[in-house]
Amino acid sequence: MAIADDLKKTLTDPTPLYFAAGTADLAVQQAKKVPGLIEQLRAEAPARIEAVRNTDPKVVQEKAKEAQEAVSAKVAEVFGAIDAKKLGETAQDLALRGVGVAAEYAVKAKEAYDKVAEHGEQTVRAWRGEVSEEIVDIAVVVEPESEPKAQPEAKAKAEPVTEPAAAEAKPAPKKAAARKAPAKKEAAAAADES
């Protein structure tokens, strides 16, 4: 039955649908920015193309050779300093760090998924018009009661406490005693059966 319960929970969970709605809404928001980016690229493109045309190929080749020599020197330096024992320890250390980084990214991915799903839920509520209903619900909770509680206390202080009022306060202990009586009868009945 656990499989059926898990399947039911999975099929009734709206989070993936909210995630899809949130993704769609964020995509629409980003798509609205595209025309501005295209205009910016159109404005900058002629200057960049002209800079590439005016670049001397010999200068580019010299810079590439310098970079290649620098990389070769660093690689030779690293391989010269490698010790077999240190290499094993370093590999193990890197593997442990990799597991930690993977776990960290998994947590970040879950947080991002939850944020997008929450955004999607808000988007769906806005599409349905439920946001305004939620605000009304909050207003009802925050709104104070029509009769303040201070008035009944003032009436109680104004009226003198008499013996009948004290007698009205005592029925609660009598009810507690009445509850204990059946328990004693049950205990007596159990003793008689023995």
Side-chain angles (χ1 to χ4, degrees):
M1 292 308 279
I3 294 173
D5 292 340
D6 289 344
L7 185 60
K8 182 179 179 182
K9 182 180 176 185
T10 301
L11 293 175
T12 58
D13 184 18
T15 305
L17 297 176
Y18 288 144
F19 178 78
T23 303
D25 187 55
L26 291 174
V28 168
Q29 290 176 5
Q30 294 301 318
K32 290 178 181 178
K33 296 178 184 178
V34 170
L37 293 173
I38 291 173
E39 290 301 319
Q40 182 182 0
L41 288 174
R42 282 185 186 169
E44 294 175 0
R48 291 185 181 195
I49 292 172
E50 191 62 34
V52 171
R53 284 184 185 167
N54 293 336
T55 304
D56 187 18
K58 291 181 183 179
V59 173
V60 173
Q61 286 177 351
E62 288 176 13
K63 286 185 179 182
K65 283 182 184 179
E66 290 174 5
Q68 184 180 9
E69 290 173 1
V71 169
S72 296
K74 286 288 185 184
V75 168
E77 182 181 323
V78 169
F79 281 124
I82 291 180
D83 183 16
K85 234 181 199 182
K86 284 185 178 179
L87 183 63
E89 292 172 2
T90 304
Q92 188 177 17
D93 186 44
L94 289 174
L96 290 174
R97 285 184 186 178
V99 169
V101 169
E104 181 180 342
Y105 282 127
V107 169
K108 287 182 180 180
K110 174 67 174 146
E111 289 173 356
Y113 176 81
D114 290 342
K115 283 182 182 179
V116 173
E118 184 177 324
H119 178 79
E121 184 177 1
Q122 296 300 324
T123 302
V124 169
R125 285 184 177 176
W127 291 342
R128 291 179 177 170
E130 293 179 4
V131 174
S132 59
E133 293 173 7
E134 189 174 287
I135 292 171
V136 170
D137 292 341
I138 292 171
V140 168
V141 171
V142 173
E143 189 174 284
E145 294 179 11
S146 58
E147 293 183 25
K149 294 181 179 179
Q151 290 178 354
E153 292 175 7
K155 289 180 183 177
K157 290 180 182 177
E159 297 176 7
V161 178
T162 60
E163 291 181 22
E168 289 176 2
K170 292 184 181 178
K174 290 180 182 177
K175 288 181 183 177
R179 288 182 187 165
K180 291 181 182 177
K184 290 180 182 176
K185 289 180 183 177
E186 291 174 5
D192 291 339
E193 291 176 1
S194 300

